[in-house]
Amino acid sequence: MQRRTFLKAGLLGGTALACAGWLSHDTFWGKGTHLAAKGDHRYDFLTEADHAVVSALAPAVLAGSEAAGNPKLTEEVVHAVDQTIAAFQPSVQAELRQLFTLMTLAPTRVLVCGLWRDWPAVTPDDADAMLRGWHASRTALLRSAYDGLQQLITAAWYGNPRSWPALGYAGPPPFHNNGEVTE
Amino acid sequence: MIPDPIAEGLANGWSAVDASGLSENKTLETDVVIVGTGAGGGMCAEVLCAAGFKVVLIEEGPLRSSRDFTMRESFAYPELYQESASRKTKDKAINILQGRCVGGGTTVNWTSSFETPPPTLAHWQKHHDVAGCDEAAMKPWFDKAFARLGIHQWPVPPNPNNAALQRGAEQLGLSFEIMQRNVRGCANLGYCGMGCPINAKQSMLITTIPAALDSGAALYSRTRAVRLMFSGDRVQGVVCAALDERGVFPTGVQIEVRAKAVVLAGGAIGTPALLLRSGTPDPYQLAGKRTFLHPVTAATAFFEEEIRPFEGAPQSIYSDEYLWPEGADGPMGFKLEVPPLHPVISATVLDFPGSAHHTAMARLAHIQGMLALCRDGFHPDSPGGQVNLRTDGSPLLDYPFTDFLRDGFRRSLKAMVEIQFAAGAKEVVPLHRHSQPYKTWAEAKKALDALPMDPTMVRLFSAHVMGGCPLGEDPRQALVNSEGRHHHLQHLWVMDGSVFPTSIGSNPQVSIYGMTLKNAEALVKSLKS
């Protein structure tokens, strides 16, 4: 991301987030957009546009992991993010709806994310630059937006048993506590 | 096959209703309705049922049991914790871990068991007009809790994660102790935080709640207490909303419980929020104020040898070296402990952008974690936070930082990093947005002197929410009396962590058990008279 765009983002991020709150009334759950659906995965929170955001961010957040270069695993991550958000309280879901609205509407995407290209065309390098900008931002709202996205995406991947072998973690011990042996 | 007391009880005809499946409104009549099934609600239920009273238990979370506890974070956090273990303070600076299931925090805690520290009880007596709660008066109640829950000093050697705290403390000449735990037949698995799969942890879920249900108590899970019913100065019951299967949205079904007495035990965010939603009398506007968190700072260390922080009893060693630096009301003290590190919790606290994150995760088996519970609420510059209501009635905790807190956070991070290097760490990362992996204690110390201890910069957690409905004899500073009875509404009692006038200074489950056992006897007396 260009430095100037990022500085603007820092200054205007708060205002933009406030605007997104108002704008998101028109997009909240199904008005003008529709929930994502990919193969067997039904989505309960993320719209098609949000799906593109998380799909673009995941390879940057999970850089170096098996999920980063594997579209099938990335899709599992995005779906797990969706299911996590769907279990959040309504007030937290509403905050995330504002954040996704801000990130998916073209003017605020350019202003706050510093991304001229729309999400399906965003490269892992673009996403990484944007995330680093938010991580170090002077604007507390962007820092906490970074934290929220980072935590959702990393929890989605490292909660998936496919990620465990790379960590030296064999998973929970096999156990007969429910009549079945866990993996 | 592990015996599952919950499945057995249900098969034997317990009165337990998952409200997400209800299609019609209900009205119930009972002697006592208890809101919440954690440390306070569970203990209180057993005492009341043993005394012959009819009890209804209300729980916002689901009824789950050992057969569901698969030791997976992806199941445990959304099912068993408030807000999927992602509850945060208003400014998002502090991540709060709170149970939300039958058994509450006791179903998911790490089993660390301490009587309320004597300096804390003395401080309450001196500064908060708390009566009948001195060390000698409380001892029989703590003894009772110890006996009921099999609390004993853990006889098994610590796992390497905890052994590092011991070794570092020994190297530096600091004090340390072996943890007491509420377990029977513990297999040293290390998954306490995801629900005990073998019912070794003596949580409310497998002790007092089954006892209450065996005696005829009724349990409503997936049921949120929305507001109290009261008329004049008498409480009459509670209006509840059934939640959907995920526990997110109300289904529209309402459950009204009319009772001779109401006990609030929904924890130090839930209880004040229920009082605020209900508009109960509060002439000095105390509800939800002075809410404490034991704000937790943490540091991760990389060791050459394997630590395997995901295995073994999660907490077996602690140090109180820095807990009372200049008595109770001096600079903020902190208690040093160790957290278990499973993949999800580790991934969300390791804060490195880009591929550095996965590089750190790939070394998970070599990571050692340490945490400091900062003792808030004892000093005038540590007034705690305030529970407020969002427009939808849900609670939101505003917890402002003060320089007093910042000083404690900085000292606690330094203390942990010094111990980790003394224990042999190759690299240490104190959890802060701008920290780096430091290779020496001197380098880390210099960095920690400069890093700003501001919200969303220093990484903070809380697993202990306390206060917001303080007990004491003076209605100008306490909402309930020293026995937990509301100062302004008759037949309303509070028995959970919200009654504490300050934080505790140690993991609070036994403090809640002891105080509740004492106060439940007072409630029994009052109901009998």
Side-chain angles (χ1 to χ4, degrees), chain A residues 73-137:
Chain A
L73 293 180
T74 300
E75 167 58 21
E76 283 184 24
V77 168
V78 182
H79 189 250
V81 167
D82 176 78
Q83 293 301 296
T84 302
I85 297 174
F88 283 159
Q89 294 304 294
S91 54
V92 180
Q93 292 195 24
E95 276 181 20
L96 285 162
R97 175 51 54 217
Q98 290 183 15
L99 177 63
F100 279 110
T101 302
L102 175 85
M103 295 178 80
T104 50
L105 291 177
T108 45
R109 184 194 72 227
V110 173
L111 183 67
V112 182
C113 306
L115 296 167
W116 290 98
R117 281 181 286 208
D118 199 2
W119 287 98
V122 165
T123 66
D125 284 348
D126 294 338
D128 184 64
M130 184 213 104
L131 288 164
R132 284 175 194 273
W134 284 20
H135 179 261
S137 173

Side-chain angles (χ1 to χ4, degrees), chain B residues 208-241:
Chain B
T208 56
I209 288 168
L213 292 170
D214 282 342
S215 314
L219 168 67
Y220 282 76
S221 58
R222 289 285 192 222
T223 304
R224 175 180 292 151
V226 177
R227 66 184 163 80
L228 295 170
M229 298 183 284
F230 61 96
S231 173
D233 67 348
R234 292 177 69 94
V235 75
Q236 293 165 315
V238 56
V239 178
C240 308

